[in-house]
Amino acid sequence: MKKRIAVLISGSGSNLQAVIDAIDEGKINAEIVLVISNKADAYGITRAQSAGIQTVLLQHTHYASRIDFDLAMLEHLERQRVDLVVLAGFMRILSAEFVRHFSGRMLNIHPSLLPKYKGLHTHQRAIEAGDAKHGCSVHFVTAELDGGPVALQALVPITATDTEQQLQHKVHLREHIAYPKVIAWFCDDRLRCTDNNLYLNDELLPANGFQLTFDAPY
Ligand code: GRF
């Protein structure tokens, strides 16, 4: 049966677009039943509406506490009987209760090769550290920020002339390949998370996940 996906956004939503496109192309066996934004000016709302997807705007500033906001989201997600929650540039820390509720069925994409560079400014930090490679990680969400088990990493070489913006652009292109791939695995019941261990086709994945190397097609 087709999985029911909800995507949570705060901004541009280019990863949301990549998932919409992958579903249209038959690469993901799922339906996006809901897009929630916590920002009124998020361009991702327009992307979702253009694709005929139901959107809900929930502004966290209108709620007394983090948990109240999360409960409002939870209500919408439960009403839509969501199988998978996809965080795509959602710039809010989630409560432990919310994370626990969707344990093993909530994914995030982070622009670094975790466990390196949790948090913000990942591209600049990778350049400043003199790293030869950078990339993005798709991981299940746990209570630890950017700390959940990694399903896949897509690698990008850092060249001597890369600026922060150039590197961000290269990583973004990789994100648009990486995220749909992992979502497709989940929706085909090929990827599961048990006790913080990830299994792809019933085989235990290494701690840094499946590696999509430099030469894998963009
Ligand atoms: C991406 O860089 C992603 O890694 C991070 O937030 C950004 C979202 O970009 N979590 P977009 O809104 O999908 O374009």
Side-chain angles (χ1 to χ4, degrees):
M1 222 168 87
K2 258 193 191 167
K3 295 269 195 283
R4 298 170 66 79
I5 298 179
V7 184
L8 274 49
I9 59 164
S10 302
S12 144
S14 70
N15 279 286
L16 164 66
Q17 189 66 57
V19 178
I20 292 172
D21 294 345
I23 291 174
D24 283 351
E25 289 162 17
K27 292 180 182 162
I28 301 176
N29 182 28
E31 184 187 355
I32 302 178
V33 292
L34 185 64
V35 168
I36 298 179
S37 173
N38 68 324
K39 289 278 175 71
D41 60 354
Y43 181 62
I45 298 175
T46 307
R47 295 183 192 267
Q49 287 169 347
S50 308
I53 298 166
Q54 189 185 325
T55 60
V56 171
L57 172 65
L58 293 176
Q59 288 171 284
H60 57 272
T61 45
H62 295 179
Y63 293 85
S65 66
R66 186 176 302 283
I67 191 75
D68 285 351
F69 173 68
D70 284 4
L71 284 172
M73 285 203 296
L74 189 63
E75 211 179 296
H76 284 282
L77 296 168
E78 286 304 289
R79 200 177 301 148
Q80 285 294 342
R81 291 172 286 110
V82 161
D83 298 305
L84 175 68
V85 176
V86 170
L87 306 182
F90 185 67
M91 302 302 282
R92 284 285 297 167
I93 291 177
L94 297 162
S95 62
E97 290 83 352
F98 187 92
V99 170
R100 204 175 311 120
H101 186 91
F102 289 106
S103 169
R105 47 198 191 107
M106 179 154 59
L107 292 170
N108 182 41
I109 188 156
H110 183 75
S112 79
L113 299 176
L114 290 169
K116 276 189 159 186
Y117 314 129
K118 296 176 179 178
L120 299 174
H121 311 300
T122 58
H123 311 297
Q124 190 57 35
R125 287 155 72 196
I127 291 172
E128 278 167 12
D131 291 353
K133 62 182 184 183
H134 187 44
C136 62
S137 306
V138 180
H139 66 93
F140 282 86
V141 177
T142 62
E144 192 198 336
L145 187 68
D146 301 327
V150 173
L152 178 145
Q153 291 184 327
L155 277 58
V156 167
I158 302 181
T159 62
T161 56
D162 270 341
T163 63
E164 183 184 8
Q165 286 71 26
Q166 284 166 335
L167 188 55
Q168 180 177 20
H169 178 68
K170 284 200 281 187
V171 172
H172 236 139
L173 293 177
R174 292 309 247 174
E175 291 182 19
H176 301 158
I177 307 279
Y179 220 176
K181 202 174 188 58
V182 175
I183 293 167
W185 289 342
F186 183 91
C187 292
D188 288 339
D189 292 319
R190 292 173 60 198
L191 176 69
R192 68 189 159 84
C193 179
T194 310
D195 296 332
N196 266 5
N197 289 316
L198 298 190
Y199 297 85
L200 179 62
N201 304 327
D202 290 325
E203 277 189 39
L204 183 67
L205 278 170
N208 56 352
F210 184 95
Q211 299 286 292
L212 212 57
T213 48
F214 296 159
D215 46 3
Y218 274 78

